[in-house]
Amino acid sequence: MMELVHSFGDGAVIAKRNLIKIKRVPEVLVFVLISPIMFVLLFAYVFGSSIDIPGGSYREFLIAGIFAQTVVFGATFTGAGLAEDMQKGIIHRFRSLPMSRSAVIVGRTASDVVYNVLSLAIMAITGLLVGWRIHSGVLDAIGGFALLLLFAYAFSWVMAYVGLLVPSPEVVNNASFIVIFPLTFVANTFVPSDNLPAPLKFFAEWNPVSAVTQAARELFGNIPAGTPQPTAWPLKNPVAYTLVWVVAIVAVFAPLSVARYRRAAQRV
Amino acid sequence: MSHVIEASGLVKRYKDVIALDGLDLSVPAGTVLGLLGPNGAGKTTAVSILTTLLQPDEGSATVAGADVIGTPHLVRQRIGLAGQNAAVDEYLTGFENLEMIGRLYRLGRRRSRERARILLEQLDLIDAADRPVKTYSGGMRRRLDLAGALVAETPVLFLDEPTTGLDPRSRIDLWAIIKSLVAQGTTLLLTTQYLDEADQLADDIVVIDHGRAIASGTPDELKEMVGGERIEVTVRDAGQADLARRTLVRFAVGDIQTDGRAETLLVPITGGAPVLTQALRELDLEGVAIRDVTLRRPTLDDAFLALTGHGAESSAKGRTDSAPARDDGAGRPREASRR
């Protein structure tokens, strides 16, 4: 119990340190945020004109997918940040201090929530500019963003683990694309999954990124009236399915990452 | 028991390399142990084990009454560490770095800030306190790193080559700071490649090579073993080395040694410059052509020559880099000597 309290306390100290870095070097945000903005423009104006959403507008359909993609991509920021920490001299300091052994990772995933809030805000503004609107109530909308953030938090634990596996921050980006591309593209993010060939459709329906996208669409009121109900269970219960994934991911990757951190620390 | 640091039979292997080969150390409370050795001798590995950063393959150690393997957490509460790779965050200011370290020692916010302020004053960093460390010079980073080790006023300190890579002025400043700490009763283990540094700061010195202690004693005892000043003469023609040796033998207060190359002679002397002048005159009279001559105080290399019969450099053989010690913080430490 004491260990848990210390883990949070020390994690908060580390999170504060990470946030100071974002404040001092805001450039890092610019580069990570540019790609989702490019995606909005690309899909809204280039591909969007040839993708048909029955009874609705593609841009309304698109933005929830972009949100999901943004938080998944954003998780690489966590991995790269940790990989960089492990390379720097400061890690020697942390390891010689009587701090919680999980604090470096707990702090990193916590500070990246702030990063995700910022990036979702920027994406929402971009969305509003290209014609996306929230048609639901305030509570639903807040619920939508909260669910996206929860999913982002969980996914940043996956990338934390990747960040501790690889030898340098540069590798994180490349390594993570192997996971991120299928997850974000073989999904209902950019095109309705009904149009996919059977095996891909099956993957897309059970893909948690599809569920969080579907949940966000529902909560923001971006599903036009008359759209047929999805048949797959995850898409019929997207909020519940997403929450199951959030819990499962953290339950698996938090202990894995902490163990990996201890071992990586022993490498030096 | 009054030994604050106690290690016995420490062994650490990396694949085909043995970094530590049965090292014993003991440091009485309130004293300074200088761990002296060349690059790759195992100094950083020893410090890493004693500070719980690394597990030994064999052997045991206690620091401030806590077992480094069994209860590393207790050890960490009782030690401060400053290393070669200034372990500070470069995006934070000096003040933020020290405050963070204080918080992670769980001193609480108020006490952490207070300690940060005091140390920045003490280490002459107060003007740079609110600047990101990125803008600091190498010497300033080292001082900040040292401050980090001092935040929690722990009874035991480990300083791993605290002055390597610093300019002479910063070294002397840092020595003064370390001396004043020790005067307050801190137990200190210090590693260094410089005999004069160990001489200045340590009560006892252990010389290590290939992960083993090869000599130990007080600085005076060690200097006695090594000899005092020496003249280093390089003759132009190796054929004249013997003549030079015969000429210089009457100035020597010990054995004349060669430095691997036949044309360089190391002549232990006492009496300094006047003796050097006379020796040169004699060499000139004998017609020995000289390429280079220096009067030197003993260095680590001399100590090694005296203690092992080989120079410090050769013990670093097999390593790709013999530049001044630097652990780049990534991968394994460069402290590791091939057997």
Side-chain angles (χ1 to χ4, degrees):
Chain A
M1 188 57 209
M2 239 6 232
E3 171 60 25
L4 204 64
V5 172
H6 282 155
S7 179
F8 281 113
D10 296 345
V13 174
I14 300 290
K16 183 181 163 200
R17 166 229 175 205
N18 297 340
L19 291 177
I20 291 174
K21 178 176 176 183
I22 294 188
K23 197 174 80 185
R24 300 259 153 84
V25 201
E27 295 89 334
V28 293
L29 285 182
V30 177
F31 287 105
V32 190
L33 290 178
I34 269 179
S35 74
I37 293 178
M38 298 291 287
F39 270 106
V40 174
L41 300 178
L42 185 70
F43 277 89
Y45 293 104
V46 182
F47 300 138
S49 48
S50 53
I51 300 172
D52 189 37
I53 302 298
S57 104
Y58 180 65
R59 290 179 199 169
E60 295 263 296
F61 174 88
L62 171 70
I63 297 303
I66 290 282
F67 282 154
Q69 188 210 31
T70 301
V71 299
V72 171
F73 269 81
T76 53
F77 194 63
T78 304
L82 264 181
E84 196 185 336
D85 279 349
M86 298 303 287
Q87 277 192 325
K88 291 273 174 82
I90 188 75
I91 208 73
H92 296 270
R93 169 74 63 203
F94 289 152
R95 289 174 45 224
S96 75
L97 291 175
M99 60 193 272
S100 157
R101 297 289 98 180
S102 54
V104 170
I105 317 174
V106 169
R108 172 63 63 181
T109 50
S111 59
D112 287 352
V113 172
V114 175
Y115 162 78
N116 276 313
V117 168
L118 283 176
S119 64
L120 280 180
I122 291 175
M123 296 321 301
I125 292 167
T126 313
L128 291 170
L129 289 176
V130 302
W132 169 72
R133 294 291 179 269
I134 294 174
H135 302 286
S136 61
V138 178
L139 282 182
D140 276 352
I142 291 172
F145 283 115
L147 192 73
L148 283 162
L149 284 175
L150 261 180
F151 187 73
Y153 178 76
F155 207 75
S156 71
W157 278 98
V158 177
M159 286 300 147
Y161 183 61
V162 173
L164 293 168
L165 281 180
V166 299
S168 80
E170 291 76 27
V171 184
V172 174
N173 284 323
N174 300 328
S176 58
F177 280 158
I178 301 169
V179 183
I180 286 179
F181 265 102
L183 276 180
T184 57
F185 285 92
V186 187
N188 61 0
T189 41
F190 302 110
V191 290
S193 51
D194 299 337
N195 306 347
L196 296 171
L200 289 184
K201 185 180 170 198
F202 179 79
F203 180 86
E205 283 170 347
W206 289 85
N207 182 346
V209 177
S210 294
V212 76
T213 304
Q214 178 75 12
R217 277 183 194 133
E218 285 181 7
L219 290 165
F220 295 138
N222 292 143
I223 296 180
T227 306
Q229 268 286 312
T231 48
W233 187 88
L235 298 182
K236 276 198 283 192
N237 307 280
V239 176
Y241 187 67
T242 303
L243 290 176
V244 167
W245 271 96
V246 167
V247 172
I249 289 173
V250 176
V252 171
F253 282 91
L256 269 181
S257 304
V258 173
R260 181 70 211 170
Y261 171 79
R262 286 165 187 255
R263 228 159 4 112
Q266 287 292 331
R267 260 191 322 212
V268 181
Chain B
M1 183 179 48
S2 64
H3 284 171
V4 170
I5 302 172
E6 188 93 69
S8 72
L10 295 180
V11 174
K12 184 71 192 176
R13 299 182 197 89
Y14 295 105
K15 285 182 186 150
D16 54 334
V17 168
I18 296 201
L20 283 185
D21 191 10
L23 183 69
D24 303 323
L25 293 173
S26 65
V27 188
T31 68
V32 180
L33 177 72
L35 202 52
L36 180 68
N39 275 338
K43 302 188 298 293
T44 296
T45 306
V47 169
S48 297
I49 289 173
L50 293 173
T51 55
T52 78
L53 302 187
L54 201 63
Q55 296 246 350
D57 295 324
E58 287 169 38
S60 62
T62 58
V63 173
D67 182 12
V68 297
I69 301 160
T71 53
H73 199 76
L74 291 180
V75 173
R76 289 182 204 122
Q77 287 171 6
R78 298 170 191 176
I79 61 167
L81 168 65
Q84 303 175 47
N85 29 287
V88 288
D89 192 303
E90 44 176 25
Y91 296 105
L92 303 191
T93 66
F95 181 81
E96 286 164 346
N97 263 290
L98 296 184
E99 190 202 359
M100 173 180 74
I101 293 168
R103 298 296 297 274
L104 294 172
Y105 269 114
R106 310 216 173 97
L107 299 184
R109 173 194 285 261
R110 237 197 43 193
R111 181 91 184 112
S112 300
R113 294 179 160 227
E114 192 180 288
R115 285 297 296 159
R117 228 9 108 188
I118 291 171
L119 287 166
L120 289 164
E121 263 329 323
Q122 263 181 18
L123 298 188
D124 198 21
L125 289 166
I126 199 74
D127 294 335
D130 296 322
R131 261 170 36 203
V133 171
K134 254 166 113 78
T135 65
Y136 283 24
S137 70
M140 290 165 79
R141 282 179 197 227
R142 284 303 178 84
R143 293 210 297 278
L144 184 65
D145 188 43
L146 180 63
L150 306 179
V151 166
E153 299 176 281
T154 52
V156 188
L157 274 185
F158 292 88
L159 304 181
D160 188 15
E161 302 202 12
T163 67
T164 298
L166 289 189
D167 59 69
R169 174 75 216 270
S170 311
R171 277 182 81 199
I172 290 165
D173 287 350
L174 212 58
W175 285 356
I177 293 161
I178 294 170
K179 278 179 186 166
S180 75
L181 279 173
V182 172
Q184 293 160 26
T186 307
T187 304
L188 170 63
L189 190 150
L190 164 101
T191 75
T192 180
Q193 309 186 46
Y194 308 114
L195 190 60
D196 58 338
E197 183 161 293
D199 185 16
Q200 284 278 332
L201 300 173
D203 298 306
D204 289 292
I205 297 177
V206 170
V207 183
I208 69 170
D209 187 30
H210 294 300
R212 248 176 305 190
I214 56 168
S216 62
T218 64
D220 283 340
E221 286 167 352
L222 234 85
K223 272 189 292 185
E224 209 156 297
M225 279 188 248
V226 174
E229 302 161 301
R230 50 192 64 211
I231 300 173
E232 191 178 308
V233 183
T234 307
V235 296
R236 199 173 292 279
D237 173 7
Q240 287 193 313
D242 247 14
L243 178 58
R245 180 188 286 265
R246 283 199 305 276
T247 312
L248 292 173
V249 77
R250 67 184 186 89
F251 297 100
V253 295
D255 288 341
I256 295 180
Q257 282 161 325
T258 53
D259 183 16
R261 296 161 302 171
E263 65 267 34
T264 299
L265 302 175
L266 298 175
V267 187
I269 60 154
T270 55
V275 176
L276 174 65
T277 316
Q278 218 184 329
L280 286 177
R281 202 173 292 142
E282 294 284 327
L283 285 173
D284 196 36
L285 280 176
E286 294 292 334
V288 179
I290 292 167
R291 190 165 63 203
D292 192 21
V293 62
T294 42
L295 177 63
R296 292 205 297 147
R297 294 185 44 78
T299 63
L300 177 59
D301 215 42
D302 300 323
F304 267 79
L305 211 51
L307 293 168
T308 66
H310 67 79
E313 278 311 308
S314 63
S315 72
K317 222 174 249 167
R319 300 176 339 101
T320 48
D321 178 4
S322 58
R326 228 192 107 249
D327 185 332
D328 60 7
R332 71 181 31 126
R334 304 199 172 170
E335 297 278 297
S337 53
R338 217 164 280 274
R339 237 189 168 176

